[in-house]
Structure formats: C-alpha cells, structure tokens
C-alpha cells in the first residue's frame, strides 16, 4: 500500500510499526529503502527473505544523527568523524568497526557496520520518531529484489513487492543512485562503492584508495578506463549494451533487434531518428550532466523494461570523475 504525502501522524504510525517488528519502504535522497528495526533480528531476517538477498550481504543501518554512531560503532578514526561532520546528512555510508552484540543480523555477523544519516526529510522524520520509541537505527537495503534495478519512486517499490508492503511516498529520489561507501576501518578511507559524492570531495580529509578501479578515473584529464570485472547487478530484464556513438550508429545500420530501446545524448540520437521508421524502437534522450543522468538512470531502465524492450543500448558516458557512479551502475547493468 502506497501512502501518498504522508502526514506527521502517518510517519509516527510507521515508526510504531517498525518498533513492533514490521517492514516498510521509505524514500531517501538516493533510492528507496526497505527498512526494519536494525536491532530486531526477526524483522531483519524478513528483509533478506523478501529481497531474496544472500544472508552474508550486510545491510546499511540508517541513523538519525552522528550521535547514534557511538551506539553501534567503536574505534572511530578522526577522518571518519570529519567526514560525518562534513557530509551527513547526505549520500555517504561509512563502514566502521562494530560494537560487539549490536545489530548482528543486520550486519550479517560481520565485525563492521555500515552507517549513514540520510538527507530526505521524510527519512529523517521517520528516524527521529523511531528513535524516540527506542529504535536506534533502521537497517535498509534498496527496496528491490536482489540483483534488480534499485527503486527511485514509490511506484517502483510497489512494482517489486506489491500491495502488502507499506510504502511511504516521498516523490522521486533526487540523486537516483545509491550512496558512496567509504571503508574507514583500515587506517585510510577506501572507496567501496562510487556514488554522487566523489572521491575528490572526500580527498580533502584524507587520501582515498580505490581498489580495483583505475586511479585515472579519480583525477580530471585522465585516460579512459573502467574495471572489466564487475559483478552483474542493477539488471533490467532486457539485455543492456554500452556503446560509443560511432558503434551505436554502426550497430543500428545492421540492427534487427525487435523492440530496441536507446538512451543516448541528442547528437547521437538525431541521425538514428532520421532513419527511424520502425515502430518498435524506443528512444529517450540522455541528459548532459552526470547528476541528471543518475537521477533518471534506474527509472529509465524500468521504463524500457515495461515497454517490453529486448535490448537497451546506452551511450557510454564520458570517462570523467563525476561520471564514476553512473559508469559503475551502467557497467554492472550491462554485465548480466
Ligand atoms: O543509498 C544507499 O546506500 C541505499 C539507501 C536505501 O540508503 N542503500 C543501499 O543499501 O544501497 P544496500 O543494502 O543495497 O547496500 C549495502 C552495501 C553492501 O553490499 C556493502 O557493500 C556495504 O553496503 N555494507 C553494508 N554494511 C556493511 C558492513 N557491515 N561491512 C561492510 N560493508 C557493508
Ligand atoms: Mg541494492
């Protein structure tokens, strides 16, 4: 059931349900989350079951403010406290050393915990109300079935899980890709997942290491390169291909794909449209900036799936630092 424009009372009610052990979906500025009381192992187990997520994949725990960090984590390095002060609330998850005995199931029994203070006002209200009821944190992965496209609208969550789940509708997510994850447990910040917040922004506090990813992407004026060994994830039903404008033109001239969908920038799409007489080709113009692209990315994959596309061709975005998060998601979507 989708709750449109939830009132303060609706949010208080939702917090009570969380306290009682229920699951519910809520918006964050990145993507919608599927939440449960992080300290309730039965409720957390339901998240894994509903998503079909492997039990050893830890969940991010959302907290109301940096004050709750000390309930869950210990041995917090100075650079981590500085990152919290600078970037929370916001799209940054910090991996810290977990206090033994807290949020065991949510963290898949790992010695670490992923914590984040989201910026969406509805998420913060929910966290505040939950905290006043003694819920110290809300464990929430993205509200989609495991491996599928993350939801950026309440309707996407409904499409994944149906009417049985309570979904707080907070409109379309502003950022559209998941938070940047920084591991703070190994002496220096290590980027585990790129997002809107860039390593270059974090670099002011300490040098950021990026394992498995070309350092060339981290600094401007760099040679283009993307890791080729990423796991399949964020996958729509259709096959995704990333193509340069030239390759797209060429592939298009030999194209016999039924129900082809194309997401590319205007200069690339125009010549294709000029030859376009097949009704079963769907085209959408890709925005110019990484921010706008991120905002539209998952909704676009879902739209093309809903149109019954068998292949989705996407113009490879520029290999520049600000595109790191979008490139990561597209590369994974294309890997399946
Ligand atoms: O933007 C986001 O981060 C969204 C919204 C809902 O906040 N959440 C999200 O959660 O993307 P999820 O479950 O899809 O991402 C979980 C990832 C794990 O795959 C892992 O990389 C990291 O976060 N993570 C979480 N807890 C961890 C832990 N205890 N130790 C190490 N890594 C952890
Ligand atoms: Mg996810």
């Amino acid at each position: 059931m989708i709750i449109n424009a939830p009132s303060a009372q609706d949010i208080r009610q939702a917090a009570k349900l969380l306290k009682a052990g229920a699951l519910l979906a809520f918006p964050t500025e990145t993507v919608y989350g599927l939440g449960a009381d992080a300290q309730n192992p039965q409720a957390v187990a339901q998240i894994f079951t509903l998503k079909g997520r492997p039990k050893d994949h830890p969940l991010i725990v959302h907290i109301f403010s940096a004050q709750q960090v000390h309930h869950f984590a210990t041995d917090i390095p100075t650079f981590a406290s500085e990152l919290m002060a600078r970037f929370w609330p916001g799209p940054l998850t910090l991996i810290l050393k977990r206090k033994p005995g807290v949020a065991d199931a949510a963290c898949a029994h790992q010695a670490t915990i992923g914590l984040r203070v989201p910026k969406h006002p509805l998420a913060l209200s929910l966290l505040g109300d939950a905290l006043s009821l003694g819920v110290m944190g809300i464990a929430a992965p993205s509200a989609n079935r495991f491996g599928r496209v993350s939801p950026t609208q309440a309707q996407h969550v409904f499409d994944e899980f149906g009417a049985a789940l309570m979904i707080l509708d907070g409109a379309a997510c502003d950022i559209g890709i998941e938070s940047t994850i920084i591991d703070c447990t190994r002496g220096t910040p290590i980027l585990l997942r790129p997002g809107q917040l860039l390593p270059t922004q974090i670099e002011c506090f300490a040098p950021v290491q990026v394992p498995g990813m070309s350092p060339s992407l981290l600094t401007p004026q760099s040679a283009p390169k993307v890791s080729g060994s990423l796991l399949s994830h964020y996958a729509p039903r259709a096959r995704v291909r990333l193509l340069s404008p030239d390759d797209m033109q060429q592939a298009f001239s030999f194209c016999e794909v039924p129900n082809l969908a194309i997401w590319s920038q205007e200069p690339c799409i125009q010549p294709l449209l000029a030859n376009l007489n097949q009704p079963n080709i769907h085209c959408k113009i890709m925005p110019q900036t990484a921010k706008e692209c991120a905002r539209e990315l998952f909704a676009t994959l879902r739209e093309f799936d809903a149109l019954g596309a068998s292949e989705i061709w996407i113009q490879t975005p520029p290999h520049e630092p600000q595109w790191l998060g979008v490139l990561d998601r597209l590369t994974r979507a294309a890997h399946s």
Side-chain angles (χ1 to χ4, degrees), residues 173-197:
C173 299
D174 188 44
I175 292 177
I177 55 172
E178 302 82 350
S179 58
T180 302
I181 302 182
I182 298 285
D183 184 354
C184 301
T185 65
R186 287 183 271 169
T188 179
I190 300 172
L191 180 72
L192 296 186
R193 180 174 72 187
Q196 192 197 64
L197 189 67

Side-chain angles (χ1 to χ4, degrees), residues 201-283:
Q201 293 169 272
I202 292 166
E203 211 93 64
C204 313
F205 299 91
V208 181
Q209 286 182 36
V210 186
M213 208 174 283
S214 164
S216 64
L217 269 171
L218 303 176
T219 46
Q221 298 105 34
S222 58
K225 231 181 230 170
V226 179
S227 163
S229 57
L230 297 168
L231 288 172
S232 146
H233 215 90
Y234 311 109
R237 274 183 288 277
R239 175 177 174 222
V240 176
R241 292 176 69 188
L242 285 181
L243 296 163
S244 70
D246 282 352
D247 289 348
M248 202 177 287
Q249 304 283 352
Q250 216 174 6
F252 193 77
S253 49
F254 299 107
C255 167
E256 284 174 19
V257 176
N259 269 319
L260 174 64
I262 298 176
W263 196 37
S264 68
Q265 291 185 348
E266 206 157 6
C268 171
I269 231 168
Q270 281 310 336
L272 304 185
L273 289 176
N275 309 317
L276 197 66
N277 44 17
Q278 293 110 311
N280 61 349
I281 297 185
H282 316 283
C283 289

Side-chain angles (χ1 to χ4, degrees), residues 66 79-92 94 119 197 201-202 204-205:
F79 73 80
S81 305
E82 286 171 354
L83 291 176
M84 291 170 204
R86 173 66 186 81
F87 296 111
W88 280 357
L92 175 67
L94 299 178
K119 198 173 189 163
L197 189 67
Q201 293 169 272
I202 292 166
C204 313
F205 299 91

Side-chain angles (χ1 to χ4, degrees), residues 19-297:
K19 173 70 184 165
L23 302 191
L24 60 86
F26 63 98
T28 80
E29 73 279 24
T30 58
V31 300
Y32 275 72
L34 177 64
D37 176 354
Q39 306 228 73
N40 180 333
Q42 289 82 24
V44 166
Q46 284 183 55
I47 295 183
F48 285 92
T49 308
L50 195 59
K51 269 188 71 104
R53 183 175 173 119
K55 290 275 188 295
D56 58 351
H57 280 220
L59 310 178
I60 292 172
V61 176
H62 299 69
I63 49 179
F64 178 66
S65 77
Q67 282 178 26
Q68 283 78 54
V69 167
H70 305 281
H71 177 80
F72 291 104
T74 178
D75 299 350
I76 296 150
T78 310
F79 73 80
S81 305
E82 286 171 354
L83 291 176
M84 291 170 204
R86 173 66 186 81
F87 296 111
W88 280 357
L92 175 67
T93 297
L94 299 178
I95 307 299
L96 297 163
K97 188 170 167 196
R98 186 165 61 91
K99 272 193 181 164
V102 292
D104 251 312
C107 299
H109 308 282
Q110 306 217 12
T112 51
I113 183 161
L115 292 172
R116 145 166 143 83
V117 179
K119 198 173 189 163
H120 196 296
L122 213 161
L124 281 173
S125 300
L126 180 67
L127 283 161
D129 286 348
L131 182 61
S132 70
L133 299 172
V135 174
M136 298 302 291
I138 301 178
S142 50
N144 53 280
R145 289 178 196 277
F146 183 69
R148 310 300 302 183
V149 178
S150 298
T152 55
Q153 298 169 20
Q155 184 62 42
H156 297 163
V157 184
F158 186 91
D159 295 344
E160 291 280 323
F161 298 115
L165 179 69
M166 178 191 271
I167 304 163
L168 299 177
D169 189 347
C173 299
D174 188 44
I175 292 177
I177 55 172
E178 302 82 350
S179 58
T180 302
I181 302 182
I182 298 285
D183 184 354
C184 301
T185 65
R186 287 183 271 169
T188 179
I190 300 172
L191 180 72
L192 296 186
R193 180 174 72 187
Q196 192 197 64
L197 189 67
L198 303 172
T200 43
Q201 293 169 272
I202 292 166
E203 211 93 64
C204 313
F205 299 91
V208 181
Q209 286 182 36
V210 186
M213 208 174 283
S214 164
S216 64
L217 269 171
L218 303 176
T219 46
Q221 298 105 34
S222 58
K225 231 181 230 170
V226 179
S227 163
S229 57
L230 297 168
L231 288 172
S232 146
H233 215 90
Y234 311 109
R237 274 183 288 277
R239 175 177 174 222
V240 176
R241 292 176 69 188
L242 285 181
L243 296 163
S244 70
D246 282 352
D247 289 348
M248 202 177 287
Q249 304 283 352
Q250 216 174 6
F252 193 77
S253 49
F254 299 107
C255 167
E256 284 174 19
V257 176
N259 269 319
L260 174 64
I262 298 176
W263 196 37
S264 68
Q265 291 185 348
E266 206 157 6
C268 171
I269 231 168
Q270 281 310 336
L272 304 185
L273 289 176
N275 309 317
L276 197 66
N277 44 17
Q278 293 110 311
N280 61 349
I281 297 185
H282 316 283
C283 289
K284 189 173 163 182
I285 293 175
M286 181 187 247
Q288 300 280 340
T289 68
K291 266 191 184 174
E292 285 172 87
C293 243
R295 192 179 292 143
E296 289 186 16
L297 196 165

